[in-house]
Amino acid sequence: MADMKIGAYICKGCGLGERLDCDELATIAQRDGKAQVVQQHDFLCSAEGVKMIQADIDNEGINRVVIGACSRRAKTEAFNFQNVTISRANLREGVIWIRPDEDDLRETTQEMAADYIRMGCAEAKHSTVPASEQEKGSNDTILVVGGGITGMTAAIEAAKTGYPVHIVEKTGSLGGYAGKMWKDVPMHSPYTDPVDTPVTKLIAEVEADSRITVHLNATISKTSGAPGRFSADISTESGATTTENFGAIIQASGATPYDASQLPELGYGKSKDVVDRVELEQLAIAANGGPIKRPSDGKEVKKVTFIQCAGQRSDKEGHLNYCSGDCCLTSIKQAMYFKDQNPDIETEILFDDLRTPGAPGEDFYRSGQDKLVTFRKGKVSEVVAGSNGPLVRFKDMILDEDVEEEADLVVLATGMVANSGVDIDAVPQNEPGEWEVSVDSILNLNYRQGKDLPHLKYGFNDSHFICFPYETRRTGIYTCGPVRRPMDTQQAIDDATGATLKAIQEIENAKVGRAAHPRSGDLSYPIFRKEGCTQCKRCTVECPFGAIDEDEKRFPVFNESRCRRCGTCMGACPVRVISFENYSCDTVGQQIKNVDIPDEFDEKPRILVLACENDAYPALDMAAQQGVSYSQFARIIPVRCLGSVNTIWVTDALNSGYDGIILMGCQKGDDYQCHFVKGSEMANVRMSKVDDTLETLSLEKERVETYEIAITDIERAPKLINDMAEAVEKMGMSPFKF
Amino acid sequence: MSNYNQEMIDKYRGNFLKEVQDNVEEGDWVKMCMQCGVCSGSCPLGPHWDHPPQEIFMMIRAGKREEVLESTSMWMCTSCYNCIARCPRGLPITHIMHGLATYSKRLGLAPQQQPTAKFAQLFWDNLTKKGRVNELKLGLSLYFMNGIGEGIKTSLKMKDIGLNMLKTKRMSPMEYFGGHSCKDTKGFQAMLKKAQELEEARIGKSGS
């Protein structure tokens, strides 16, 4: 780091020149920030301004650029210099826009700007230019796990784009669940009649494509590696195992129908004429367009009753808590099997809430009504044996009366259970060096954190349904189809296409050694100083993405390409041996230390805000754009994720005399909004332990607060800062000022 | 009741939805109801109905033939059209209610003492005589609809209004004797008769 050369550039545009004393800021950059070159410019982001900076980089050897202008989120294209680090002192959104332009406030506004310049220079001093990760992968092949509609679509889409694919299918044939259906809900207008499933067409396409290799009766007995260089052992039933290399993995393992034998109260298992929806498909296939016959005595069905939400949307033990999303459409379709064959057959659908999502939705429901399928809002209490067939007892919720009806056949609309492998949070993991194959696992990953993808709710694989549906918590492995949420065939097909695009993106990024998501293009990766490590395992346990393994001596083994660059490991490390080239305990710690702390009697407290750069920091920027103001005593430092906040920063800040500290992260829990899934949760756990620190320092608990901030909290985020300023005023200044 | 009613019972054998579909004006819309209840919530007289429209539609599907047709509910409709305007499925609910009322009347199942039904009959009888509504007679027959005692009571109560109307020539006592008519009463009667024939041919009603 001998040839480090800082260049500080102060912009006078956007009103900065009028509101701030830029000459003083330049002096501070030179004197406190130790910048070798300091320049001011009237319009820094103009072509001229940018040229000025570039000239210094080329001629003066500047390799640490500090820009004192607008927020780091603005003008990123103008201030995009290669092979240097860039630090942004946020003078516009962070200072002049959030402070009123009044004469008696000029002094504190100027102090704010001065601190941001010092912080920018401090960050520059402790950053280095990131080189891309060393473990580049170059494999183009995609592994698709599961040969149902979802898997086949993913394979076809990938192959069409030119990427070779291997499909691994557990059973002896392609087609999956949809392959067992007689007909499907229509996917195109007019949404009136059941149509053929796309299975036959998809199988033909898969078989005709030379880029797709299919492994039938096969499972995956081991997966290792990282994006761009995965290796998977594919074992067939016969015992043979082949090892193939892949760039990315798409898990399309689908769902299994709920086991209806858990529903004896609905007559399943007691009467042969109570069937689940899969068995009805089989009856329809057997009838092949002719009259459907009931299983017990082969009598042609004249009256059929469908019971919706069978074993679903219920809190009862063994039942599914959730709605499987496609059963209403499926029952309408199955009722049409009867009506289309003979309109005189009575078909009744007993529903609780009729839900028909997706493209066919209401139109298909209308078509069912048009064909005189009877829809009745009824809560079924039991199905018992009647004189001529099953007798359904239910309460009509509209007419508010108890009804008994006999039918020839009763169909239970059962839900879907995700095939998501083992729940790694519930099953103990193999110790390093003692890894074993699990028959229940889908992927058999040899990762330290477990063999399968983490589950979120109800056994479905983790997936953020708005922000990142396909990205799992294992980089380079994508889920699609009913394994990540209940869905019908059309949705599964769309889903497969999306996941395939993500997989391709990952492969291409892995080739150049950069992050794909969500810090797209980031070249930094965690650097680990093994000599200092105490083998505490916190990083391996807390990494939300299972990127860190352990060697047999329990030292962490970082897998750079599996990393999402959130820094949760850095925040977890008690001995601070993990860092990124441009983001480390020092780059933030030094910013904290370089803020000027006036002494106790100046009545100028200092409030440190560590704001998540994904939501909280933009919210504060937008607050500035809208003219909301917050305390002149706040100093805001963006962090990659609240998970990357190391408690040392909090301790250091308290020790150096900060009066209040606010941590702003994203929502945690099942409905998390954290871009790194577990980051804000981890931070919350760690911060709950900060109370002890505060106690040792005899400081009030209220001096450190953690908040969940959404990007829309434009009013709330500044208010929380002001609340802290008020609280500090009440509590009095910190006694730790020197 | 009537032969026609028995005929229909025999014809549809419990499939009341089909019966409604075939015989009630706009009856083929009934199956399209999705039971959201917006109609019942929108009806200004809803609380006074035995069965609000949503329930009527469900009863039709549940095959409750007599309960529906003998019900006073559809006679309560005032044709405010709130339900039609609001039905998300676009059901012509007002028309269906009137259709059901007409059908129950045709079958001879309409409630005898329901005032709306009674008044409708008085109005029809009054109008068809001369092709014009005789307001004096219509008013009086309305007063005496429920017997002489109540008729006299209502008449006395309304006498001031009546006298004032006479004074301002809003009503003529001479209307009681004959009253005005349309230009071609015979033609009007013939027209009604033909319409009746056509209607009967359409519904295939024999006898009664």
Side-chain angles (χ1 to χ4, degrees):
Chain A
M1 238 158 271
D3 52 351
M4 180 180 68
K5 216 168 172 190
I6 301 177
Y9 301 90
I10 293 158
C11 180
K12 296 207 281 189
C14 293
L16 288 165
E18 292 89 69
R19 294 280 306 273
L20 301 170
D21 180 351
C22 291
D23 293 335
E24 194 210 34
L25 295 180
T27 316
I28 285 170
Q30 203 160 23
R31 193 190 60 207
D32 299 354
K34 305 277 182 269
Q36 281 92 331
V37 175
V38 181
Q39 301 230 46
Q40 298 179 41
H41 196 277
D42 286 336
F43 188 3
L44 196 59
C45 59
S46 66
E48 263 174 63
V50 171
K51 219 163 140 193
M52 176 183 89
I53 301 173
Q54 190 60 51
D56 280 355
I57 294 170
D58 296 341
N59 307 327
E60 306 288 327
I62 295 295
N63 49 17
R64 306 282 186 277
V65 177
V66 179
I67 292 166
C70 39
S71 163
R72 53 154 59 190
R73 302 180 60 253
K75 303 287 172 198
T76 45
E77 276 164 32
F79 300 132
N80 180 21
F81 305 105
Q82 299 307 310
N83 304 317
V84 296
T85 70
I86 301 164
S87 303
R88 302 282 296 263
N90 188 358
L91 303 183
R92 193 178 70 173
E93 284 88 342
V95 183
I96 62 163
W97 280 4
I98 53 93
R99 294 302 304 154
D101 186 7
E102 288 162 23
D103 280 342
D104 54 338
L105 298 173
R106 278 187 93 89
E107 185 192 324
T108 48
T109 309
Q110 180 71 19
E111 283 171 9
M112 241 180 153
D115 274 344
Y116 280 123
I117 294 289
R118 287 190 196 100
M119 289 154 80
C121 292
E123 186 190 13
K125 217 179 292 173
H126 292 88
S127 303
T128 48
V129 183
S132 64
E133 65 193 48
Q134 302 307 301
E135 307 170 338
K136 291 174 187 132
S138 56
N139 200 306
D140 260 350
T141 314
I142 294 175
L143 168 64
V144 175
V145 184
I149 285 201
T150 323
M152 287 194 286
T153 308
I156 292 164
E157 294 294 334
K160 272 190 204 160
T161 328
Y163 293 82
V165 183
H166 284 252
I167 299 180
V168 174
E169 166 59 41
K170 195 163 70 175
T171 67
S173 62
L174 293 171
Y177 174 60
K180 295 179 192 140
M181 300 197 304
W182 160 241
K183 298 248 176 190
D184 201 357
V185 173
M187 297 183 201
H188 301 288
S189 174
Y191 301 105
T192 45
D193 305 299
V195 295
D196 289 333
T197 69
V199 171
T200 325
K201 193 180 133 266
L202 288 175
I203 293 179
E205 266 184 72
V206 165
E207 283 171 353
D209 201 315
S210 58
R211 276 166 298 211
I212 303 176
T213 316
V214 181
H215 306 261
L216 293 176
N217 293 316
T219 52
I220 295 176
S221 50
K222 185 171 187 172
T223 307
S224 57
R229 46 182 188 83
F230 283 113
S231 162
D233 292 354
I234 301 166
S235 305
T236 49
E237 235 171 31
S238 55
T241 298
T242 51
T243 305
E244 298 278 349
N245 295 318
F246 299 102
I249 299 173
I250 295 173
Q251 183 179 329
S253 45
T256 314
Y258 175 78
D259 177 15
S261 61
Q262 297 189 56
L263 301 169
E265 69 274 21
L266 296 181
Y268 192 87
K270 290 182 187 164
S271 163
K272 279 185 182 171
D273 296 328
V274 179
V275 297
D276 70 7
R277 59 169 168 168
V278 189
E279 289 161 337
L280 197 270
E281 296 289 346
Q282 286 159 2
L283 293 178
I285 290 171
N288 195 21
I292 293 175
K293 292 173 182 138
R294 67 180 189 185
S296 64
D297 53 5
K299 173 181 174 276
E300 280 182 21
V301 175
K302 289 285 172 216
K303 172 158 178 148
V304 56
T305 302
F306 292 85
I307 300 176
Q308 296 309 107
C309 304
Q312 317 187 50
R313 299 181 62 213
S314 137
D315 298 333
K316 271 192 217 155
E317 187 157 353
H319 286 199
L320 307 178
N321 300 98
Y322 51 89
C323 167
S324 292
D326 84 313
C327 339
C328 285
L329 282 171
T330 299
S331 289
I332 296 171
K333 172 194 78 177
Q334 293 179 342
M336 286 185 188
Y337 291 171
F338 294 93
K339 279 289 185 192
D340 289 347
Q341 194 269 323
N342 176 4
D344 289 335
I345 296 175
E346 273 185 72
T347 53
E348 187 163 65
I349 296 182
L350 297 177
F351 65 92
D352 185 11
D353 298 300
L354 207 71
R355 294 174 174 179
T356 54
E362 281 296 280
D363 283 345
F364 198 57
Y365 175 21
R366 278 199 184 91
S367 173
Q369 289 182 305
D370 204 40
K371 293 179 180 181
L372 285 175
V373 176
T374 309
F375 294 86
R376 205 161 174 183
K377 191 174 168 77
K379 267 210 162 64
V380 179
S381 52
E382 56 176 354
V383 178
V384 293
S387 44
N388 297 309
L391 179 81
V392 184
R393 290 208 175 101
F394 65 96
K395 177 166 186 148
D396 188 307
M397 304 304 284
I398 302 293
L399 304 180
D400 192 26
E401 62 184 23
D402 294 316
V403 186
E404 276 191 3
E405 268 183 3
E406 222 173 62
D408 295 330
L409 186 69
V410 169
V411 184
L412 305 181
T414 44
M416 343 183 162
V417 182
N419 294 332
S420 50
V422 294
D423 182 357
I424 58 168
D425 294 320
V427 185
Q429 304 312 322
N430 295 138
E431 289 302 311
E434 294 167 13
W435 192 88
E436 273 178 359
V437 181
S438 156
V439 285
D440 298 323
S441 172
I442 307 273
L443 294 174
N444 270 308
L445 292 165
N446 74 341
Y447 289 17
R448 178 68 187 109
Q449 286 189 9
K451 295 190 174 68
D452 272 311
L453 303 175
H455 298 180
L456 183 64
K457 239 181 179 176
Y458 309 135
F460 289 90
N461 279 138
D462 192 0
S463 147
H464 195 284
F465 83 109
I466 296 172
C467 301
F468 29 94
Y470 313 114
E471 283 86 355
T472 67
R473 263 189 265 163
R474 298 293 178 259
T475 312
I477 306 176
Y478 300 89
T479 50
C480 52
V483 71
R484 61 172 203 86
R485 69 165 176 79
M487 58 177 80
D488 63 19
T489 27
Q490 178 61 57
Q491 291 174 47
I493 288 172
D494 294 345
D495 219 42
T497 316
T500 309
L501 283 170
K502 283 286 161 191
I504 291 170
Q505 206 179 47
E506 179 63 63
I507 287 174
E508 294 306 318
N509 275 301
K511 283 182 190 166
V512 285
R514 63 184 182 201
H517 164 87
R519 293 182 59 82
S520 324
D522 191 351
L523 291 170
S524 71
Y525 55 88
I527 294 167
F528 161 60
R529 202 164 48 81
K530 195 173 178 179
E531 311 83 73
C533 176
T534 58
Q535 294 130 298
C536 74
K537 300 208 286 187
R538 269 181 227 177
C539 53
T540 51
V541 171
E542 291 192 12
C543 173
F545 307 105
I548 310 170
D549 288 335
E550 258 168 50
D551 67 13
E552 293 191 21
K553 286 185 182 154
R554 308 292 167 115
F555 280 109
V557 179
F558 284 79
N559 291 277
E560 291 151 15
S561 22
R562 285 193 219 156
C563 174
R564 303 262 174 105
R565 285 83 170 159
C566 59
T568 299
C569 49
M570 179 176 119
C573 184
V575 286
R576 300 179 295 284
V577 294
I578 305 167
S579 61
F580 295 80
E581 283 139 318
N582 52 3
Y583 184 65
S584 63
C585 284
D586 277 348
T587 61
V588 176
Q590 289 300 325
Q591 289 186 65
I592 295 173
K593 286 180 184 156
N594 275 278
V595 168
D596 181 44
I597 311 272
D599 72 30
E600 214 173 323
F601 311 103
D602 265 354
E603 296 294 314
K604 284 177 182 164
R606 287 289 175 260
I607 296 163
L608 174 67
V609 182
L610 295 168
C612 164
E613 66 177 10
N614 297 296
D615 275 18
Y617 200 71
L620 288 167
D621 269 3
M622 284 190 282
Q625 284 159 11
Q626 301 200 357
V628 184
S629 67
Y630 56 77
S631 168
Q632 67 271 43
F633 304 123
R635 300 291 179 265
I636 295 163
I637 301 178
V639 293
R640 285 188 180 183
C641 171
L642 217 51
S644 69
V645 172
N646 196 302
T647 43
I648 189 76
W649 296 342
V650 176
T651 319
D652 278 359
L654 291 171
N655 277 322
S656 43
Y658 280 87
D659 303 277
I661 300 173
I662 305 174
L663 279 79
M664 293 184 172
C666 303
Q667 188 177 315
K668 55 184 183 302
D670 272 355
D671 297 323
Y672 65 85
Q673 286 181 10
C674 177
H675 293 57
F676 299 101
V677 188
K678 288 279 167 207
S680 56
E681 202 159 302
M682 291 299 167
N684 202 58
V685 173
R686 286 178 213 147
M687 287 310 135
S688 65
K689 291 168 189 153
V690 163
D691 287 358
D692 299 342
T693 316
L694 288 162
E695 215 170 294
T696 13
L697 296 172
S698 326
L699 286 171
E700 295 83 353
K701 268 203 324 210
E702 292 72 28
R703 288 197 191 266
V704 182
E705 297 282 6
T706 310
Y707 294 111
E708 290 179 359
I709 301 283
I711 199 159
T712 47
D713 282 340
I714 294 164
E715 300 280 339
R716 183 169 161 256
K719 189 179 170 291
L720 292 172
I721 297 177
N722 292 337
D723 289 351
M724 177 59 89
E726 253 177 62
V728 166
E729 213 178 314
K730 270 187 207 146
M731 285 184 279
M733 306 287 270
S734 158
F736 286 89
K737 296 178 190 277
F738 301 105
Chain B
M1 203 86 21
S2 64
N3 298 334
Y4 181 51
N5 187 28
Q6 195 53 51
E7 227 173 86
M8 288 295 133
I9 292 173
D10 295 343
K11 184 170 172 193
Y12 291 100
R13 278 196 251 157
N15 194 341
F16 187 39
L17 177 60
K18 187 103 195 343
E19 182 180 346
V20 168
Q21 207 156 258
D22 291 353
N23 297 287
V24 172
E25 189 185 350
E26 306 278 18
D28 54 349
W29 276 97
V30 172
K31 64 188 177 200
M32 301 310 287
C33 166
M34 63 175 190
Q35 295 295 329
C36 66
V38 166
C39 49
S40 305
S42 306
C43 181
L45 286 175
H48 305 287
W49 293 39
D50 289 343
H51 310 289
Q54 174 200 14
E55 225 171 278
I56 293 264
F57 296 146
M58 196 63 240
M59 288 161 77
I60 293 172
R61 293 190 208 167
K64 297 180 180 288
R65 187 175 187 274
E66 272 65 41
E67 258 183 79
V68 170
L69 293 172
E70 290 170 7
S71 149
T72 59
S73 294
M74 52 270 192
W75 296 95
M76 298 290 287
C77 174
T78 60
S79 308
C80 74
Y81 284 80
N82 248 351
C83 51
I84 290 198
R86 290 185 184 172
C87 176
R89 276 295 179 83
L91 266 71
I93 300 168
T94 307
H95 303 167
I96 301 170
M97 289 303 128
H98 294 322
L100 280 170
T102 310
Y103 185 57
S104 77
K105 169 97 177 139
R106 199 193 298 152
L107 293 169
L109 295 176
Q112 298 296 311
Q113 293 306 317
Q114 213 283 335
T116 324
K118 265 183 170 176
F119 179 69
Q121 188 64 53
L122 291 175
F123 184 89
W124 178 253
D125 294 344
N126 185 305
L127 172 75
T128 49
K129 234 167 238 161
K130 299 211 158 181
R132 288 282 185 270
V133 175
N134 187 319
E135 287 175 350
L136 182 64
K137 280 186 185 170
L138 184 64
L140 283 172
S141 50
L142 180 62
Y143 294 172
F144 289 88
M145 189 169 75
N146 296 323
I148 293 198
E150 201 188 307
I152 293 170
K153 237 160 108 190
T154 319
S155 305
L156 286 173
K157 201 171 86 192
M158 301 298 283
K159 78 173 188 316
D160 291 346
I161 294 177
L163 287 171
N164 282 337
M165 282 175 83
L166 283 179
K167 254 188 244 166
T168 51
K169 301 200 169 133
R170 290 283 165 196
M171 194 171 70
S172 159
M174 298 314 285
E175 282 284 299
Y176 193 76
F177 310 101
H180 71 295
S181 67
C182 64
K183 276 181 194 158
D184 180 10
T185 318
K186 267 200 184 134
F188 172 70
Q189 301 281 7
M191 194 174 77
L192 283 181
K193 196 168 167 241
K194 184 72 192 168
Q196 186 79 23
E197 274 170 31
L198 288 173
E199 175 72 358
E200 272 167 24
R202 186 183 66 81
I203 60 181
K205 186 176 171 184
S206 60
S208 102

